[in-house]
Amino acid sequence: MTEYVTSADGTRIAFDREGAGPPVILVDGAFQFRAFDPATAELQRLLAERGFEVVRYDRRGRGESPADPPITLAQTLDDLRALVDELTEGTDDAVALVGNSSGGSIALAAAAAGLPVSKLVVFEVPLDEELGTDGADSLAGLREHLAAGDADATIRYFMHGMPPEWVEGARRSDAWPVMTGLAASLEPDTESLAWTQSAARSALWAGIAAPTLVLVGTETLDVMRPAAESLVANLPHAELREIEASDHRWEPRSMALTIAEFLVG
């Protein structure tokens, strides 16, 4: 059943929860929301079966959480804070965050901003070179495309670093109209990745006390393993684990078992 929390600026954020136990929030990456991503819905169910209260929400500008652009990383963190407050109301509890892809960089930003995070799990955060300008350049370009109002061109721009066959496959699929409808909501994804290059990572993440599990697929894009190693090298309490996954996609049951083992441990 869909529930709602109200973010700091009055925007309603839709979510559903499943299970009972320590609270976990799934933080989606680009193009994901509850009605469009059955694999994460299955992950939610499997984690709930393993003794967690698992929340999946529609990020601002997606699904049942409509919002006017521009959509910023600061607003996205406010939305997460509202969900954390809902789950921990009247207690001193903290919440585990599980971030997929650019959802992982959003989860890192949330932890660095001081949200009460018990543990972090991130899967294949697509980091570029530390202290590089790629992220800032991508953010500026994305904002230019959004301002021009061409959603099709915006999505093609956002996907420009991905394998060409991924882009072409998406354009030929029934999913493309849904993806173009999410264009404005991609700004926080890009902004969070730019943030990871905004200072030395050891300084940027020094305040993240939560134990962190960094996951990378057995078959993955060239950028992902160096990115995972950078996360482990610069987070205070992080470990790297390889998981059966390919083409930036994971299998829900294997993912759930890995996450549950880490959260319980």
Side-chain angles (χ1 to χ4, degrees):
M1 181 183 71
T2 298
E3 302 177 64
Y4 298 90
V5 293
T6 302
S7 194
D9 66 352
T11 299
R12 286 207 318 169
I13 303 300
F15 72 99
D16 57 62
R17 62 177 113 195
E18 190 168 349
V24 179
I25 298 176
L26 305 181
V27 185
D28 286 338
F31 304 120
Q32 295 178 296
F33 62 99
R34 290 179 304 154
F36 190 58
D37 180 22
T40 305
E42 179 71 357
L43 176 63
Q44 179 185 21
R45 183 185 67 79
L46 290 167
L47 284 174
E49 288 178 355
R50 284 158 177 79
F52 301 96
E53 180 184 18
V54 188
V55 163
R56 176 98 189 275
Y57 72 107
D58 287 342
R59 279 181 40 197
R60 178 180 292 247
R62 303 180 184 182
E64 294 183 77
S65 301
D68 294 329
I71 297 173
T72 68
L73 177 60
Q75 292 170 325
T76 300
L77 298 186
D78 284 341
D79 302 342
L80 256 177
R81 190 180 297 276
L83 285 164
V84 170
D85 289 346
E86 170 72 19
L87 292 177
T88 61
E89 184 178 11
T91 74
D92 294 325
D93 290 347
V95 172
L97 299 181
V98 177
N100 180 57
S101 190
S102 52
S105 51
I106 290 171
L108 287 165
L115 269 69
V117 176
S118 58
K119 289 189 176 182
L120 278 170
V121 180
V122 296
F123 173 79
E124 292 194 346
V125 183
L127 302 181
D128 281 313
E129 183 182 5
E130 184 173 9
L131 296 175
T133 62
D134 314 70
D137 293 343
S138 292
L139 180 59
L142 182 76
R143 285 172 172 166
E144 288 177 7
H145 280 78
L146 288 170
D150 186 338
D152 189 90
T154 300
I155 300 305
R156 284 189 278 111
Y157 175 81
F158 182 83
M159 297 183 72
H160 72 272
M162 300 179 188
E165 61 271 19
W166 291 16
V167 182
E168 191 56 33
R171 290 188 67 193
R172 291 198 306 264
S173 75
D174 293 338
W176 189 254
V178 179
M179 293 168 69
T180 57
L182 302 177
S185 75
L186 298 173
E187 186 169 339
D189 299 83
T190 310
E191 188 178 355
S192 67
L193 290 168
W195 167 77
T196 67
Q197 295 181 299
S198 64
R201 287 173 181 157
S202 59
L204 202 62
W205 300 334
I208 299 179
T212 303
L213 178 63
V214 178
L215 298 174
V216 66
T218 50
E219 299 177 40
T220 189
L221 303 175
D222 290 344
V223 68
M224 296 304 180
R225 185 165 294 277
E229 291 170 352
S230 180
L231 284 161
V232 173
N234 289 289
L235 284 161
H237 309 288
E239 62 181 273
L240 176 63
R241 191 175 305 177
E242 194 173 81
I243 188 171
E244 288 291 334
S246 61
D247 293 334
H248 205 41
R249 294 187 180 95
W250 36 264
E251 190 278 319
R253 186 167 296 277
S254 174
M255 187 71 148
L257 287 170
T258 301
I259 293 171
E261 180 184 79
F262 173 72
L263 294 181
V264 169

